[in-house]
């Protein structure tokens, strides 16, 4: 796992950090490979949609090599089933885990630091049972303080250091598989907000400025691949629900976590209204700091149905 994404570093370096300089909304798509798919949007059966979405952005072997140590970060922090849409659908997590093993990963861990009692979350979410069919013990809730390591956030403006799950720091590949849901403090919880489940002390982020510290954390923990579960979207009442759940039946994949979140915000209603990505503060700040792109109109978005 790269603390700061080498891929993104090179991408932004090649682009002259245009968007970090405030010119991002004008950045032309031709800066990127013409045939590159930036965001894949697939409707249909969950397993087929997950596989197709990853294939559209280069295939799982682009990210996972033989012998790779992989960490998958879903939402499984609440003792609720898929119908509540507060956790990632177990079939989406299972499919990604299976794909990693098929690509030759030596170890795949599905990790979260839950907000609710771990055993209840594991059972009710259905994620542990789904992933156990691939490899027993793959899904783990991390709550022991000794399982975390303090790390400096060199580019942090508000959050300067944090304790990260050691297995995440040891991993070669980090894959975010968040459910798309509303959040009472952050507006939405998608891939960037979801990284809070990989650290020990989340409460400090609420005290020092949630949006700013989400961006600081994203500068430390940058997934190689984001697969957003929008098969169901919790549009109100998040993060735990209950609330209004819509069922777009959609999977969204991207390598840019900011772009994945920005597209997801733009694609669905939230709190009964449509919002632009820049109206979510942590997405706008991440874009301004060069961590990714919210100007989805300049990205190559491919859609299909399976």
């Amino acid at each position: 796992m790269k603390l700061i994404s080498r891929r993104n570093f090179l991408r932004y370096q090649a682009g002259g950090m245009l968007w970090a300089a405030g010119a991002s909304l004008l950045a032309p798509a031709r800066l990127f490979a013409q045939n590159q798919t930036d965001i894949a949007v697939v409707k249909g059966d969950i397993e087929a949609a997950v596989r197709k979405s990853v294939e559209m952005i280069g295939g799982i072997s682009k990210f996972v090599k033989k012998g790779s140590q992989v960490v998958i970060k879903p939402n499984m922090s609440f003792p609720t089933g898929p119908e509540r849409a507060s956790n990632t659908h177990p079939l989406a997590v299972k499919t990604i885990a299976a794909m990693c093993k098929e690509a030759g990963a030596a170890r795949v861990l599905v990790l979260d630091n839950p907000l609710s009692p771990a055993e209840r979350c594991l059972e009710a979410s259905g994620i542990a049972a789904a992933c156990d069919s691939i490899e027993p013990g793959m899904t783990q809730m991390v709550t022991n303080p000794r399982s975390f390591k303090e790390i400096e956030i060199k580019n942090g403006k508000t959050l300067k250091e944090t304790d990260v799950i050691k297995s995440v720091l040891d991993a070669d590949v980090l894959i975010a598989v968040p459910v798309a849901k509303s959040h009472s403090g952050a507006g939405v919880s998608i891939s960037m907000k979801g990284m809070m489940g990989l650290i020990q002390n989340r409460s400090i982020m609420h005290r020092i400025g949630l949006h700013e510290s989400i961006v600081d954390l994203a500068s430390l923990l940058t997934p190689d691949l984001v697969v957003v579960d929008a098969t169901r979207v919790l549009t109100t009442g998040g993060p735990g629900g209950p609330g209004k759940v819509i069922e777009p039946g959609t999977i969204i994949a991207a390598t840019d976590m900011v772009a994945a979140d920005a597209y997801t915000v733009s694609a669905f209603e939230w709190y009964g209204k449509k919002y632009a990505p820049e109206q979510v503060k942590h997405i706008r700040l991440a874009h301004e700091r060069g961590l990714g792109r919210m100007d989805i109109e300049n990205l190559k978005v491919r859609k299909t149905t399976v």
Side-chain angles (χ1 to χ4, degrees):
M1 206 285 297
K2 47 198 180 299
L3 296 183
I4 295 175
S5 166
R6 178 176 178 276
R7 179 191 63 247
N8 285 343
F9 173 77
L10 293 173
R11 175 185 292 181
Y12 301 138
Q13 188 178 55
M17 297 293 286
L18 285 174
W19 44 92
S24 57
L25 293 175
L26 302 176
R30 60 184 167 75
L31 286 173
F32 300 90
Q34 292 296 317
N35 294 323
Q36 173 183 321
T37 297
D38 297 303
I39 302 172
V41 182
V42 183
K43 285 179 170 285
D45 169 80
I46 295 176
E47 179 176 357
V50 168
R51 288 184 177 273
K52 184 62 178 179
S53 67
V54 175
E55 175 191 321
M56 288 167 66
I57 57 170
I60 194 66
S61 60
K62 176 180 176 182
F63 310 99
V64 179
K65 309 300 181 185
K66 187 175 182 180
S68 290
Q69 308 283 322
V70 181
V71 166
I72 298 172
K73 169 60 179 74
N75 290 103
M76 52 181 184
S77 209
F78 295 95
T80 57
E83 71 285 352
R84 182 75 72 90
S86 54
N87 296 321
T88 307
H89 197 289
L91 187 52
V93 185
K94 176 186 175 182
T95 302
I96 286 293
M99 293 170 70
C100 292
K101 296 297 286 185
E102 292 162 8
R107 186 183 71 174
V108 178
L109 294 175
V110 179
L111 303 179
D112 202 356
N113 177 11
L115 293 168
S116 303
E119 290 302 320
R120 290 178 57 204
C121 295
L122 284 172
E123 181 177 355
S125 70
I127 293 174
C131 293
D132 275 355
S133 66
I134 301 172
E135 185 175 292
M138 175 184 289
T139 306
Q140 300 176 12
M141 294 297 197
V142 183
T143 57
N144 188 329
R146 290 181 294 181
S147 298
F148 294 82
K149 180 179 180 180
E150 185 174 295
I151 294 292
E152 177 188 8
I153 303 178
K154 293 182 179 178
N155 297 316
K157 294 187 175 181
T158 302
L159 187 67
K160 303 287 188 181
E161 60 189 16
T162 190
D163 295 304
V164 178
I165 296 173
K166 291 177 182 176
S167 296
V168 176
L169 299 174
D170 294 338
D172 303 305
V173 182
L174 176 61
I175 301 176
V177 191
V179 68
K181 60 179 179 177
S182 55
H183 190 280
S184 55
V188 296
S189 176
I190 317 174
S191 69
M192 293 175 62
K193 173 69 175 61
M195 291 298 103
M196 291 174 68
L198 297 177
I199 67 172
Q200 184 178 22
N201 185 0
R202 287 176 290 222
S203 61
I204 189 173
M205 295 176 67
H206 291 270
R207 294 197 298 272
I208 64 177
L210 182 57
H211 289 280
E212 292 82 358
S213 55
I214 287 173
V215 179
D216 290 335
L217 185 60
S219 75
L220 177 71
L221 300 175
T222 308
D224 299 272
L225 170 64
V226 176
V227 180
V228 179
D229 169 18
T231 58
R232 306 131 297 120
V233 177
L234 179 62
T235 68
T236 65
K244 181 181 178 182
V245 176
I246 60 173
E247 299 184 5
T250 300
I251 297 291
I252 300 159
T255 57
D256 178 337
M257 69 192 307
V258 181
D261 288 11
Y263 180 85
T264 303
V265 166
S266 71
F268 309 113
E269 70 166 49
W270 303 93
Y271 311 99
K273 299 169 55 178
K274 295 287 286 187
Y275 287 88
E278 59 266 29
Q279 291 179 282
V280 179
K281 187 176 180 180
H282 62 265
I283 292 177
R284 175 171 52 80
L285 291 176
H287 174 93
E288 291 172 352
R289 286 171 58 175
L291 298 180
R293 300 179 63 174
M294 68 176 179
D295 57 321
I296 53 178
E297 66 276 14
N298 292 318
L299 298 178
K300 186 167 184 177
V301 180
R302 289 179 59 204
K303 302 178 181 179
T304 192
T305 300
V306 292

